[in-house]
Amino acid sequence: MDIVDRIKKLKKEKNAVILAHYYVRPEVQDIADYIGDSFYLSKVAVSLKEQTIVFCGVEFMGESAKTLNPEKTVLMPDLGADCPMAHMANAETIQKMRDTYEDLAVVCYINSTSDLKQYSDVCVTSANAVKIVKALPNKNIFFIPDRNLAHYIAGQVPEKNFVYNEGFCPTHERIEAEDVLKVKAEHPEAKILSHPECRGEILEISDYIGSTSGIIKYATESEDQEFIICTEEGVSYKLHKDNPDKKFYFPESVPTCPNMKKNSLEKILHVLETGDNEILVTEELREASKKPLERMLELAK
Ligand code: 13P
Ligand code: SF4
């Protein structure tokens, strides 16, 4: 039996389901029961009947799934798959902002640890941040951890006063406008589609800005035939699959997230066989970090 069949067999035996983000390897996307962006995966996580969730993504995703489903077992193929941005804020700064600004909402990008979520008022993902920030009653918004996404949202919601935090995604931060424009010069008809984790100089030259699902949807529904993709290269698998006749280009230094790539078929098989790498969150932390996640799910409806 090959590894794919072994995983499928074990999945049935263990009453398990596999969730995967678009940034993981193609063979991992292929074995997944649900593939999507962070918002989709967090919604799926609360609707599953299976007892075990194998989360092929990074740690904050597994943590969120566990927080929302305490009775389920959440396994990560590699516990070392951690998002560096998820740690780029701290409780002291949050408290300082609360002391400084009246009428403040601490808005926490879902790409953050449970430790940070517990001090926040609401979570957002790139797919729902504009809608949720607009719906908040507060005038002042302290957006953690991602400064690039915060600047993008601030531009979409000018009626709010944004306070920024210095976090960033190393994978998106590395994308240079010069490299993107070089690809554009070679393919002048191509539309530039970018993730809001990119720096402002990239967003300024983009034709579309959105989450990974948003980028895939835009490219799929567009009459255009060529696209320059400014996000992690894992999305190219779904883009090509759904649009075999369209052309997709990446900047020369292709954006790759080393943590997302830690997920592999061998590691999925291992956690299904052994039950290793279970995500555990203390009850106190879970209760506190669940509130902003649930508020996100409510406000995004
Ligand atoms: P989305 O899939 O929500 O666009 O998130 C991108 C990301 O960086 C996940 O780590
Ligand atoms: Fe974190 Fe960026 Fe990797 Fe997403 S792509 S998991 S934000 S480092």
Side-chain angles (χ1 to χ4, degrees):
M1 212 189 290
D2 73 6
I3 188 158
V4 170
D5 290 333
R6 286 166 71 196
I7 290 172
K8 284 183 178 162
K9 186 167 174 278
L10 269 171
K11 223 172 50 159
K12 266 202 200 117
E13 284 170 19
K14 306 266 166 122
N15 190 21
V17 59
I18 301 179
L19 270 55
H21 189 269
Y22 285 126
Y23 292 163
V24 301
R25 301 165 187 279
E27 65 274 20
V28 176
Q29 293 191 39
D30 276 343
I31 196 90
D33 299 288
Y34 300 91
I35 317 161
D37 68 2
S38 309
F39 182 41
Y40 171 79
L41 293 173
S42 62
K43 281 188 297 182
V44 164
V46 291
S47 68
L48 298 166
K49 57 182 186 326
E50 291 83 357
Q51 174 51 34
T52 296
I53 301 171
V54 179
F55 213 124
C56 303
V58 288
E59 194 181 3
F60 74 81
M61 297 179 170
E63 247 182 17
S64 299
K66 180 67 184 177
T67 300
L68 293 165
N69 298 283
E71 74 292 350
K72 305 234 176 199
T73 304
V74 179
L75 306 175
M76 301 273 315
D78 188 325
L79 278 182
D82 192 8
C83 170
M85 179 163 66
H87 304 266
M88 292 185 190
N90 61 68
E92 293 70 37
T93 315
I94 295 173
Q95 191 52 52
K96 208 171 110 196
M97 294 306 166
R98 287 201 190 278
D99 294 341
T100 309
Y101 293 89
E102 270 179 36
D103 192 23
L104 180 84
V106 178
V107 177
C108 184
Y109 191 23
I110 199 166
N111 297 37
S112 58
T113 58
S114 292
D115 196 45
L116 285 174
K117 287 186 180 94
Q118 70 175 321
Y119 302 115
S120 306
D121 297 304
V122 66
C123 287
V124 296
T125 75
S126 55
N128 60 33
V130 171
K131 184 176 177 181
I132 289 178
V133 170
K134 271 191 180 157
L136 292 173
N138 317 75
K139 172 76 182 160
N140 299 310
I141 306 291
F142 180 40
F143 194 101
I144 58 166
D146 188 5
R147 66 158 128 76
N148 294 333
L149 178 63
H151 279 278
Y152 171 66
I153 306 301
Q156 304 294 304
V157 194
E159 65 273 23
K160 305 275 183 188
N161 174 46
F162 270 69
V163 184
Y164 300 98
N165 174 75
E166 275 309 303
F168 59 90
C169 159
T171 301
H172 288 83
E173 183 81 1
R174 269 195 292 273
I175 304 176
E176 301 276 349
E178 199 186 321
D179 287 353
V180 178
L181 291 172
K182 221 161 99 187
V183 186
K184 178 80 177 171
E186 287 158 15
H187 308 281
E189 297 300 313
K191 292 284 182 288
I192 302 175
L193 315 185
S194 302
H195 195 281
E197 286 174 19
C198 293
R199 284 179 291 127
E201 62 173 57
I202 306 295
L203 302 185
E204 272 164 30
I205 58 169
S206 298
D207 297 287
Y208 172 80
I209 299 161
S211 72
T212 49
S213 293
I215 289 173
I216 293 163
K217 185 168 184 281
Y218 183 94
T220 305
E221 291 175 357
S222 171
E223 302 273 294
D224 291 296
Q225 296 300 308
E226 296 180 82
F227 304 90
I228 300 164
I229 305 298
C230 298
T231 192
E232 213 274 352
E233 65 80 35
V235 297
S236 67
Y237 184 57
K238 176 80 172 154
L239 284 168
H240 284 291
K241 206 166 154 184
D242 290 358
N243 303 280
D245 299 327
K246 294 186 180 177
K247 294 212 158 41
F248 300 100
Y249 312 109
F250 283 83
E252 195 180 353
S253 165
V254 179
T256 304
C257 175
N259 286 292
M260 287 285 187
K261 302 309 185 210
K262 286 179 182 165
N263 292 282
S264 68
L265 292 182
E266 290 73 18
K267 291 176 192 171
I268 294 172
L269 180 66
H270 176 79
V271 296
L272 278 170
E273 275 173 343
T274 60
D276 278 353
N277 296 359
E278 183 175 354
I279 295 283
L280 298 169
V281 183
T282 64
E283 193 46 29
E284 197 187 348
L285 181 58
R286 195 189 73 75
E287 272 300 326
S289 58
K290 183 180 73 157
K291 287 189 191 116
L293 278 169
E294 286 184 339
R295 195 166 177 211
M296 172 187 82
L297 294 174
E298 191 52 41
L299 286 174
K301 265 184 195 159

